[in-house]
Amino acid sequence: MKPSLSSQIVRLAARLLVALFFVLPLIWVVSAALHPPGVPLPRSLSLLPTAPSLANFGRLSSYFPLGRLTFNSLWITLTAVGLTLLTASLVAFAIALLPKRYQQRWVILLLALLMLPEIALWPTRFLLYRLLGWLDTPLALLAPAWIGTSPFFILMYYRAFRRIPREIYETARLDGAGILQTWWRVALPIALPTSLAIGLLTFVLYWGDFLSPLLYLNSERYATLPIALQSLQQLSRSDWALLMAGVVVALAVPVALFLVFMPYFNRQSRSAFRRAQRT
């Protein structure tokens, strides 16, 4: 049965209200970044200042090398995404092929690791990176990606691979495919939605990572955008327009990435809704 016109209007209004709740802070950030320098921000919410200006974005370059910081954040994040997808999927695929009793043991271990607080790992990581000579290098920032970044990502892949019928793996083996070929040509294509979700989560995690560069980097050679924003806040505490301009630059890449993949997620959600209706 098709929903009535009144129910469609209510659903549309609810969606617009939820969207406005999340978009309103972004609108305020952009509006504040376009505020003229030297003029205090208004106390009330306004979509645009009376005299919009891009001067704050030009002023960012006088405080720090914006291009190099953006490049550092981008290549470190993209490298971490690739390594996370590689290692997390391999570990999860290996667990999914084990007998069930061993799968349960690994899942329990991953859940236990997931409950460890991040702060408990900082001293051990610092000492380990110092012994390996990784301090003040990108290796210290990329080290978690070599082990899947988070047990949660491994569990996501494990759930996706476990839902694939064993007969598909057996068919690939009978056709002469090895373990790595089955992982690459069979398991990963079926788990593509999971890979995209993990990739986006990993991108956001590393793009906004502030603590790792703060703890493990000493020089400005490999500094990232979060470090620059923190430094900018300390240098100009009252210059909110300048700080919001830096926030807009930091938000531009994740927002653009979300807009690129939004049509795919819309198609996936509609197909999942249709499958739920059929069941």
Side-chain angles (χ1 to χ4, degrees):
M1 295 178 61
K2 295 184 63 176
S4 61
L5 180 60
S6 59
S7 62
Q8 290 180 354
I9 294 175
V10 171
R11 289 181 181 179
L12 180 60
R15 291 175 182 177
L16 291 176
L17 184 62
V18 173
L20 182 63
F21 179 77
F22 287 99
V23 173
L24 198 58
L26 296 179
I27 295 176
W28 185 87
V29 168
V30 175
S31 176
L34 296 177
H35 209 73
V39 180
L41 296 179
R43 295 180 179 270
S44 59
L45 180 64
S46 59
L47 294 180
L48 283 176
T50 55
S53 174
L54 297 176
N56 293 313
F57 295 96
R59 294 169 60 205
L60 289 174
S61 301
S62 63
Y63 285 87
F64 46 76
L66 186 61
R68 179 169 61 82
L69 292 172
T70 305
F71 176 76
N72 287 343
S73 293
L74 193 59
W75 82 262
I76 289 174
T77 302
L78 292 178
T79 304
V81 169
L83 290 175
T84 299
L85 293 177
L86 175 66
T87 55
S89 62
L90 282 173
V91 172
F93 185 69
I95 296 174
L97 295 181
L98 292 175
K100 287 188 177 181
R101 62 179 184 274
Y102 295 111
Q103 292 183 23
Q104 294 176 355
R105 295 175 184 177
W106 281 103
V107 169
I108 293 173
L109 177 61
L110 291 172
L111 290 174
L113 293 175
L114 190 59
M115 289 186 291
L116 285 176
E118 185 71 17
I119 191 173
L121 303 176
W122 292 346
T124 306
R125 286 181 177 178
F126 186 87
L127 294 175
L128 180 62
Y129 296 163
R130 187 176 66 177
L131 290 175
L132 295 174
W134 289 1
L135 290 180
D136 202 24
T137 67
L139 294 175
L141 306 181
L142 296 173
W146 286 101
I147 53 175
T149 297
S150 171
F152 178 66
F153 298 152
I154 300 176
L155 289 172
M156 288 180 64
Y157 263 127
Y158 166 73
R159 181 179 181 273
F161 294 150
R162 191 187 61 176
R163 297 179 64 182
I164 300 175
R166 284 272 183 169
E167 291 76 11
I168 296 180
Y169 296 147
E170 293 297 330
T171 302
R173 185 179 63 84
L174 292 176
D175 289 340
I179 296 296
L180 292 179
Q181 289 179 323
T182 305
W183 162 76
W184 178 254
R185 297 183 178 180
V186 178
L188 278 183
I190 297 177
L192 180 59
T194 302
S195 297
L196 288 177
I198 293 175
L200 288 176
L201 291 174
T202 307
F203 188 96
V204 173
L205 179 65
Y206 281 90
W207 182 263
D209 186 15
F210 166 73
L211 290 174
S212 295
L214 181 66
L215 291 173
Y216 308 130
L217 298 183
N218 299 323
S219 63
E220 298 180 355
R221 182 179 179 183
Y222 300 108
T224 56
L225 278 175
I227 293 293
L229 292 179
Q230 179 65 21
S231 302
L232 189 62
Q233 184 182 16
Q234 293 175 352
L235 292 173
S236 302
R237 290 183 177 272
S238 60
D239 198 345
W240 287 101
L242 180 63
L243 181 60
M244 291 303 106
V247 172
V248 169
V249 173
L251 287 176
V253 175
V255 171
L257 189 68
F258 171 77
L259 293 177
V260 168
F261 285 100
M262 186 173 62
Y264 174 80
F265 286 114
N266 287 336
R267 291 194 300 268
Q268 291 295 322
S269 62
R270 285 195 295 267
S271 62
F273 179 73
R274 287 194 293 267
R275 288 195 301 269
Q277 284 184 325
R278 287 195 297 267
T279 56

